[in-house]
Amino acid sequence: MMLAVDVGGTKLAAARITDDGRLLGRAERPTPVATDEAAVFDAVLAVVDEVRAGDEVACGVGCGGPMLRGGEEVSPLNIPAWRGFPLRPRLAEALGLAVHVDNDAKALALGEGWCGAAVGHRDFLALVVSTGIGGGIVLDGRLLDGAGGNAGHIGHVIVEPDGRTCECGAQGCLEAEASGTAIAARTGHPAAEADADERARAGRLVGRGVASVVNLLDLPLAVAAGSVALGYGDDFFAAAQAELDRSARIEFARGVRIVPAGLRDEGPLVGAAAVALRALGHPIGIA
Ligand SMILES: [Zn+2]
């Protein structure tokens, strides 16, 4: 049994996850809008307390990036109270349990490879198109970490060279153009109220970013989660697929598919459990 924690800018969630990926007992609460790092951490502990039963062998956490490798320090863009917050050591101390932390989008990639839409695939991209845009890449059956553990940040692939300025300082990043935050800023309405044209535009730009990644890495599959991708549904996926068909033209990349994530709203927590399983050396579908 794993304890799984999902730390997001909007909500905090925790659950117990069985060794075959089933979710038991789930709790959620809003992420405090606080400038005080302790208030956010206390809310994490409270949501964990609601589900913890004492039979968990480890705790896996998915958290927004950027972070130092293994979550030794996290600075989620959408949790301003945490800048260089020592999440992994603080949580391990509080829980008295081994804690393993990774970027939430990398966690999602592990979860989708374990028991979601990428089961049986050794090469795929998983991405979250939500308030922000993140991603995780599985290549040759292994989740890529990169020099600092931040591999897969597809939100900062540039899709509009003259586009909006991104939080990161660059111009025209995918996240600055097609995230929920960007769509709300562009349209003046919540992203969920976007019209069909705006939904298709988000899909098209995500398809453009994904095309660059699959061309670069020889990936036949992209799995998309998040409130924008899943909430926009067919409008989004049809436009993303059409853009991929147009832009992933080199022979090996043709036929690449972009599909909805299989784990739906359980993805972040199943993925967080997969972070712990991976750290423990368990086989989770992808080697
Ligand atoms: Zn950026």
Side-chain angles (χ1 to χ4, degrees):
M1 188 70 69
M2 298 288 145
L3 189 58
V5 182
D6 175 40
V7 178
T10 312
K11 69 175 166 54
L12 308 169
R16 295 161 73 237
I17 308 280
T18 65
D19 294 349
D20 57 357
R22 282 179 302 117
L23 194 143
L24 304 177
R26 169 185 187 143
E28 279 186 22
R29 60 179 60 201
T31 307
V33 182
T35 51
D36 166 14
E37 65 176 30
V40 179
F41 186 63
D42 288 347
V44 171
L45 293 182
V47 80
V48 166
D49 272 350
E50 281 187 56
V51 300
R52 195 173 180 193
D55 59 349
E56 302 88 2
V57 298
C59 174
V61 183
C63 179
M67 65 178 64
L68 296 183
R69 183 185 284 269
E72 293 302 312
E73 292 184 8
V74 304
S75 308
L77 287 181
N78 49 15
I79 305 181
W82 281 3
R83 287 295 171 265
F85 182 73
L87 178 60
R88 194 209 58 77
R90 288 287 303 279
L91 200 52
E93 186 188 5
L95 301 179
L97 201 61
V99 174
H100 305 283
V101 179
D102 211 334
N103 176 285
D104 49 8
K106 287 170 68 189
L108 181 90
L110 287 173
E112 288 292 322
W114 181 21
C115 42
V119 168
H121 289 267
R122 290 176 52 81
D123 304 281
F124 64 92
L125 164 70
L127 70 164
V128 182
V129 187
S130 182
T131 314
I133 297 182
I137 295 162
V138 172
L139 192 65
D140 301 329
R142 282 193 321 114
L143 179 69
L144 299 187
D145 288 313
N150 293 299
H153 265 66
I154 189 173
H156 304 276
V157 168
I158 291 173
V159 295
E160 289 281 22
D162 299 318
R164 290 160 41 86
T165 301
C166 182
E167 287 276 335
C168 76
Q171 216 179 339
C173 292
L174 180 58
E175 179 162 293
E177 294 289 338
S179 64
T181 308
I183 293 165
R186 274 172 48 81
T187 63
H189 302 289
E193 295 172 11
D195 64 17
D197 284 351
E198 194 67 29
R199 291 168 182 235
R201 177 182 181 274
R204 187 165 67 248
L205 292 174
V206 167
R208 187 175 297 169
V210 169
S212 291
V213 175
V214 303
N215 287 340
L216 180 69
L217 294 174
D218 192 0
L219 307 174
L221 178 67
V223 174
S227 58
V228 170
L230 298 179
Y232 290 6
D234 287 347
D235 289 339
F236 174 93
F237 283 96
Q241 185 65 56
E243 181 63 24
L244 267 180
D245 292 346
R246 197 177 74 86
S247 301
R249 298 297 302 166
I250 190 166
E251 191 176 358
F252 64 78
R254 286 182 195 171
V256 58
R257 290 181 306 124
I258 183 164
V259 302
L263 295 170
R264 297 283 165 163
D265 65 336
E266 295 187 352
L269 287 166
V270 173
V275 168
L277 280 175
R278 178 194 190 213
L280 296 171
H282 284 241
I284 53 168
I286 52 177

